[in-house]
């Protein structure tokens, strides 16, 4: 097991929201890092097994830009791992 390499895989939770507001007015602007951490821990506990770590970044992505958004998230995660390693 010591020879196994840890790998990061992008994942997405897909949903939609309904509003008559502009998309930029639909999200709270005062979400704290602690609130995002709570959400991340809830997702981790609910969806994944105990030996899996996750990182989240909430944002709205137009359907034709999903692949680019996942790539940007993966780059952000990997750059953080390189800085820590």
């Amino acid at each position: 097991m010591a020879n196994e390499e840890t790998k990061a895989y992008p994942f997405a939770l897909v949903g939609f929201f309904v509003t008559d507001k502009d998309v930029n007015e639909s999200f709270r602007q005062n979400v704290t890092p602690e609130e995002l951490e709570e959400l991340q821990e809830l997702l981790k506990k609910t969806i994944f097994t105990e030996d899996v770590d996750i990182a989240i970044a909430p944002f709205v992505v137009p359907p034709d830009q999903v692949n680019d958004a996942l790539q940007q998230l993966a780059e952000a995660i990997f750059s953080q791992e390189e800085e820590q390693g």
Side-chain angles (χ1 to χ4, degrees):
M1 295 281 269
N3 291 337
E4 290 185 26
E5 181 179 337
T6 300
K7 297 177 184 165
Y9 299 95
F11 75 96
L13 299 174
V14 178
F16 63 90
F17 59 93
V18 178
T19 183
D20 59 355
K21 298 178 186 179
D22 180 85
V23 69
N24 294 323
E25 297 174 1
S26 299
F27 291 92
R28 288 180 36 212
Q29 300 300 313
N30 60 345
V31 177
T32 66
E34 293 81 14
E35 289 173 315
L36 286 177
E37 188 173 320
E38 287 177 26
L39 178 57
Q40 183 171 294
E41 287 302 314
L42 179 62
L43 289 172
K44 179 179 171 178
K45 179 177 77 172
T46 304
I47 298 174
F48 297 94
T49 60
E50 289 184 22
D51 57 342
V52 174
D53 288 323
I54 68 168
I56 62 169
F59 52 93
V60 176
V61 179
D64 63 336
Q65 296 177 13
V66 170
N67 288 337
D68 289 339
L70 288 174
Q71 181 63 35
Q72 289 175 9
L73 179 58
E75 288 172 5
I77 291 168
F78 283 121
S79 67
Q80 287 176 0
E81 287 180 359
E82 289 172 1
E83 289 173 7
Q84 292 175 358

